[in-house]
Amino acid sequence: MRVKQFVKRIIYRERASSEDLIRYYRRKGVQIGAYCTFHAPRTIKIDTTQPFLITIGNHVEITDQVSILCHDFAWSTFKAEKGDIVGSNAPVHIGNNVFIGEKSIILKGVTIGDNVIIGAGSIVSHDIPNNSVAAGNPAKIIMTYEEFYEKRKKEYVSEAKILAKEYVKSTGKIPPKDIFRDFFPLFYVYHENDRIPCSWQKIIHWGGVKIERKLLNI
């Protein structure tokens, strides 16, 4: 594994892993909090023209092909047409406990609050307040964070059943424990000396947040 990681670092350099990319952007001057994850380090782009303008809080999940901009180069058209240079820069603030879905673009001058979910493919051109779920182009609030949580809770059991049925349909086999990594609190009862699957442990310890013992039925 160490050899594989070494080779990845030679090939991809600062984009070899989430940790490497976060360290790189911090060195550039972007302020990034604790327990953040860049899920696709080779496709995530953070504007470093004025890196001190970008602040990312704690427990922020940034996914594939997300871009965060703190400047607008559209003024290049003014230079060509008007003979004038009218630059544009503005800070971007991303709060704590934020998820940014795939292919989303965060434009300059935007503040995203705490406990916010940004849906995939969104273009965020205006501030998103705390405890919100936003999506679209331009991104608009579609529900509160609490409403989204309750919605997911209602769908939780039915989605676990669908997952199991689709696995059986596809493979003709009984689903292994590993595929239920997102659902195991539904049915798992802890017994002393149990060996918890690695995929489950990853979820339990994700983001440095201690999971409540009741979720493991301990």
Side-chain angles (χ1 to χ4, degrees):
M1 183 60 73
R2 290 181 179 178
V3 174
K4 184 177 180 181
Q5 290 174 343
F6 179 71
V7 172
K8 282 180 67 177
R9 283 186 174 177
I10 290 176
I11 297 172
Y12 299 114
R13 303 176 67 183
E14 69 273 5
R15 295 185 176 275
S17 70
S18 172
E19 294 80 7
D20 289 326
L21 188 56
I22 288 172
R23 281 193 292 266
Y24 168 78
Y25 279 128
R26 283 173 176 162
R27 288 196 300 269
K28 285 287 187 178
V30 178
Q31 300 174 63
I32 304 175
Y35 302 115
C36 294
T37 303
F38 290 3
H39 289 271
R42 290 188 283 282
T43 66
I44 291 168
K45 296 179 181 179
I46 296 180
D47 189 349
T48 56
T49 56
Q50 304 286 0
F52 58 89
L53 291 177
I54 297 178
T55 303
I56 298 172
N58 303 318
H59 300 285
V60 176
E61 308 280 334
I62 299 179
T63 58
D64 194 18
Q65 300 182 60
V66 167
S67 296
I68 301 174
L69 305 176
C70 64
H71 86 291
D72 180 351
F73 197 57
W75 64 261
S76 61
T77 63
F78 303 148
K79 183 181 180 183
E81 174 67 20
K82 307 290 185 182
D84 199 4
I85 295 175
V86 186
S88 181
N89 291 270
V92 172
H93 297 287
I94 298 174
N96 301 312
N97 199 34
V98 174
F99 175 86
I100 302 177
E102 291 188 9
K103 299 182 179 179
S104 293
I105 300 173
I106 314 301
L107 298 179
K108 69 180 182 67
V110 164
T111 293
I112 297 175
D114 299 337
N115 303 321
V116 170
I117 295 170
I118 304 296
S122 297
I123 296 182
V124 185
S125 57
H126 296 89
D127 292 353
I128 305 297
N130 295 343
N131 305 304
S132 301
V133 178
N137 177 15
K140 296 179 181 179
I141 297 171
I142 57 176
M143 66 180 71
T144 67
Y145 182 80
E146 195 63 28
E147 287 170 342
F148 187 66
Y149 171 71
E150 293 300 328
K151 178 178 182 290
R152 280 291 177 90
K153 290 286 283 186
K154 290 177 181 178
E155 297 171 345
Y156 195 45
V157 174
S158 61
E159 288 188 356
K161 290 179 179 178
I162 291 170
L163 179 67
K165 288 179 180 178
E166 289 299 317
Y167 184 88
V168 172
K169 180 180 175 182
S170 177
T171 67
K173 299 177 181 179
I174 295 174
K177 287 182 177 180
D178 278 351
I179 75 160
F180 291 107
R181 69 168 207 162
D182 297 328
F183 299 97
F184 72 87
L186 285 172
F187 55 83
Y188 179 65
V189 178
Y190 176 81
H191 296 288
E192 191 174 357
N193 299 322
D194 268 3
R195 187 172 182 178
I196 302 175
C198 291
S199 61
W200 294 12
Q201 291 187 41
K202 185 176 181 180
I203 296 298
I204 292 170
H205 299 292
W206 187 265
V209 178
K210 292 182 179 179
I211 193 170
E212 294 183 29
R213 293 171 68 84
K214 66 180 181 180
L215 292 179
L216 292 177
N217 298 311
I218 298 176

